[in-house]
Amino acid sequence: MNPSRPRRHPLVYVAPRAEDLLAECLPRLTRLRDEGFAVCIATPHTPALDDFAGHGFEVRPLPGRDRWNVAGQLAAYPILQAQFLEDRPALVHGFGAPWAWIAAYAAHRASVPAVLATIEDHDFSRPIRVRSYRKLAQWLHGYVVHHEADLRELLDREVASRHQVELLLGGRGIDLHAFAPDDEELVPVPRPPRARVVLGGRPSAGLEAVKRQVARAHPGVGWLDVEGPVTAPMLATMDAFVSLDSTDAVGTDLMAAAAMRIIAVAVESAAARTVIVDHETGRIAQPDAVAKAISEVLGDPKRMADMSIRARARAEQRFDRTQIDEQLLTIYDRLLDAKNL
């Protein structure tokens, strides 16, 4: 961070889930606190918010834990505005819908000098939503996106100005230390595939048809259907990771697979386009071609070995969460310096 900037700036993170912030942002927030920021976490109350308090952060419980609890979210607005008026934060960063809107408007009304928002998976399917995003942008000094597709959407639809939008290369990123192959030797060693496939993401209506098609080429294929995030031990015993979720805008599991040197085959999505280089580090396929892509990957051990090495290298270059945190802290510095704070 900029050593010439005065310290002890109050900084507030507003998010729908304390659990997500704790899992993804604790090192970043700890670093900010160690460098002199007075960090406050404002989320609906859950045990994870208590964990933040246990780590020594200021916390602000908010009503509206349920996404559809509109009354609770409306009640959160005056609580946030009072917090901002009292503590006079230098920066407010809001995450997710609808909390980014609530945080941004409360910060705007309280004249917070620097206001950022991060939203994944923008939905511009209806004109009213486009107008809503444009209203949000009017209250922001920076609009942080995780995917190049979102960057293009925001600019092409004139939702936000070019100088407002900030792209974090690598999206949310992952903890590479938590996803590291046991064998760090980066020499591709072809081996006969065990034909074990991890299936992540949301269930798909075409899943059984995909399994039947793959089984014709690989009769012994075994499928592990996962509900929830994948883990390193789970991936370590597998040959491929498959995602049939076309709505995935995060890509955490795809990044984890790449870090573990496991080939990912995914349907077209914002996350797949960000994580996978098609035919180099994995495969991106249309829904009707997924089974063929899986069969081709499993049927070519040499190519699998080559792609797995490139996948791990790409994970190290782009998906290391410490590097992504560094990008975001640079954005903070640039914005606060521009405000002479």
Side-chain angles (χ1 to χ4, degrees), residues 225-239:
D225 296 3
V226 177
E227 294 184 6
V230 300
T231 63
M234 181 189 304
L235 290 169
T237 63
M238 295 294 163
D239 298 296

Side-chain angles (χ1 to χ4, degrees), residues 163-279:
H163 75 274
Q164 279 181 295
V165 184
E166 302 279 1
L167 172 65
L168 288 185
L169 290 174
R172 287 187 186 180
I174 58 170
D175 180 357
L176 285 184
H177 296 292
F179 293 97
D182 292 334
D183 175 16
E184 289 295 337
E185 179 66 37
L186 296 184
V187 177
V189 179
R191 57 175 174 77
R194 296 181 298 270
R196 296 176 180 173
V197 179
V198 179
L199 183 72
R202 300 179 184 179
S204 168
L207 172 58
E208 293 307 318
V210 168
K211 288 183 176 180
R212 287 194 299 270
Q213 292 176 55
V214 173
R216 294 191 190 107
H218 301 277
V221 67
W223 295 82
L224 176 62
D225 296 3
V226 177
E227 294 184 6
V230 300
T231 63
M234 181 189 304
L235 290 169
T237 63
M238 295 294 163
D239 298 296
F241 175 81
V242 173
S243 174
L244 303 181
D245 186 1
S246 62
T247 66
D248 186 8
V250 180
T252 303
D253 287 346
L254 295 174
M255 295 178 198
M260 292 293 294
R261 302 210 302 260
I262 303 300
I263 302 306
V265 180
V267 296
E268 183 86 18
S269 70
R273 291 191 299 272
T274 294
V275 177
I276 298 171
V277 180
D278 195 20
H279 294 284

Side-chain angles (χ1 to χ4, degrees), residues 15-159:
R17 287 172 47 84
E19 290 83 356
D20 292 342
L21 286 182
L22 191 66
E24 298 169 19
C25 302
L26 183 59
R28 176 199 308 167
L29 295 168
T30 300
R31 175 178 171 182
L32 286 166
R33 183 183 60 191
D34 292 345
E35 294 190 5
F37 283 90
V39 179
C40 175
I41 311 298
T43 72
H45 186 261
T46 64
L49 191 61
D50 296 333
D51 289 341
F52 271 117
H55 283 286
F57 294 97
E58 181 184 353
V59 298
R60 176 65 65 183
L62 300 174
R65 179 177 176 181
D66 186 340
R67 178 180 175 87
W68 306 110
N69 185 353
V70 177
Q73 291 159 5
L74 290 175
Y77 165 74
I79 294 173
L80 285 173
Q81 188 177 32
Q83 173 87 22
F84 300 157
L85 289 169
E86 178 180 350
D87 287 355
R88 291 294 178 187
L91 186 147
V92 169
H93 195 153
F95 295 81
W99 291 98
W101 276 268
I102 299 169
Y105 185 60
H108 169 73
R109 297 290 293 176
S111 300
V112 174
V115 185
L116 291 168
T118 297
I119 298 176
E120 294 172 312
D121 194 18
H122 294 79
D123 183 357
F124 297 120
S125 59
R126 290 188 290 175
I128 190 172
R129 289 177 175 164
V130 176
R131 292 195 293 271
S132 174
Y133 283 106
R134 286 176 179 158
K135 179 59 70 174
L136 171 63
Q138 291 179 14
W139 305 325
L140 298 175
H141 303 102
Y143 203 132
V144 181
V145 298
H146 288 167
H147 303 293
E148 294 165 5
D150 282 346
L151 175 67
R152 290 193 298 270
E153 286 272 21
L154 289 171
L155 297 179
D156 291 348
R157 294 177 181 269
E158 299 182 337
V159 168

